[in-house]
Amino acid sequence: MVRTMVERGVNCPRASSAGRLFDAVAALLGLCDDASYEGQAAVALEAAAGDERAEALPWRLARAGGLWVYDPAPTLAAVLDRAGAGERTGTLAAAFHRTLAEVTSDLVHRVVRAGAPPTVCLAGGCFQNARLLTETRALLRDRGLRVLVGTAVPVNDGGIGYGQAAVAAARLRET
């Protein structure tokens, strides 16, 4: 029944949001099964990681529609397997953060090698996570890339709203 629902797209919207990965891992680790606010699972996962350092979990990139995309299946399977084997939640949370930082760095590196400018702007709600931001920025800088991070405008949906308002204002000036 569930497979049929997934295949038909019923109650299973596709998402490109890294936030949903944080939700999944937090749930797998028993940190947040029922969030009462957006980002609650990610906050719990970041707190569980603390200052611990860990190697990345297995991860894979795949081609889809001509683009490189992150396939989280190996990462999620490793979280589940290692949690089941009794590995500490903090270690797994740290390893998950490291994994996303490596994935992001690798994806950006591929785009730059294909001709994109070597300046990267890290934005989106997941980069409110200080640990993910710090690890990703360090990996990108190690690759010789210039990394920009918003400070005056929020990097999450607030920044999107600000951008939408700026575009609307510019269009109104044109008329």
Side-chain angles (χ1 to χ4, degrees):
M1 169 96 159
V2 171
R3 179 170 280 305
T4 303
M5 291 174 69
V6 169
E7 290 166 353
R8 291 189 333 212
V10 176
N11 291 326
C12 56
R14 293 183 183 267
S16 62
S17 171
R20 301 304 66 86
L21 291 171
F22 279 90
D23 293 347
V25 172
L28 289 174
L29 295 178
L31 295 171
C32 185
D33 292 332
D34 187 18
S36 59
Y37 63 90
E38 178 66 26
Q40 183 176 354
V43 168
L45 201 57
E46 182 180 14
D51 293 331
E52 189 161 343
R53 295 287 166 228
E55 294 295 318
L57 298 160
W59 56 273
R60 175 176 56 223
L61 298 180
R63 296 286 280 179
L67 299 174
W68 285 103
V69 297
Y70 169 50
D71 173 5
T75 303
L76 297 174
V79 168
L80 194 56
D81 290 344
R82 290 165 62 171
E87 190 163 343
R88 290 184 57 254
T89 298
T91 302
L92 290 170
F96 175 72
H97 282 83
R98 182 64 185 191
T99 302
L100 284 191
E102 286 187 12
V103 165
T104 302
S105 175
D106 194 79
L107 284 168
V108 169
H109 181 67
R110 288 170 188 258
V111 172
V112 170
R113 270 196 336 230
T119 298
V120 180
C121 180
L122 299 178
C126 66
F127 287 113
Q128 289 181 299
N129 178 316
R131 182 185 185 107
L132 180 63
L133 175 62
T134 300
E135 290 193 31
T136 303
R137 183 178 3 203
L139 289 171
L140 291 169
R141 285 181 174 164
D142 287 348
R143 290 182 183 258
L145 301 174
R146 180 176 176 225
V147 181
L148 305 176
V149 179
T151 55
V153 175
V155 297
N156 65 358
D157 290 349
I160 293 171
Y162 181 86
Q164 290 169 332
V167 168
R171 288 186 178 166
L172 286 172
R173 278 193 303 272
E174 291 174 1
T175 59

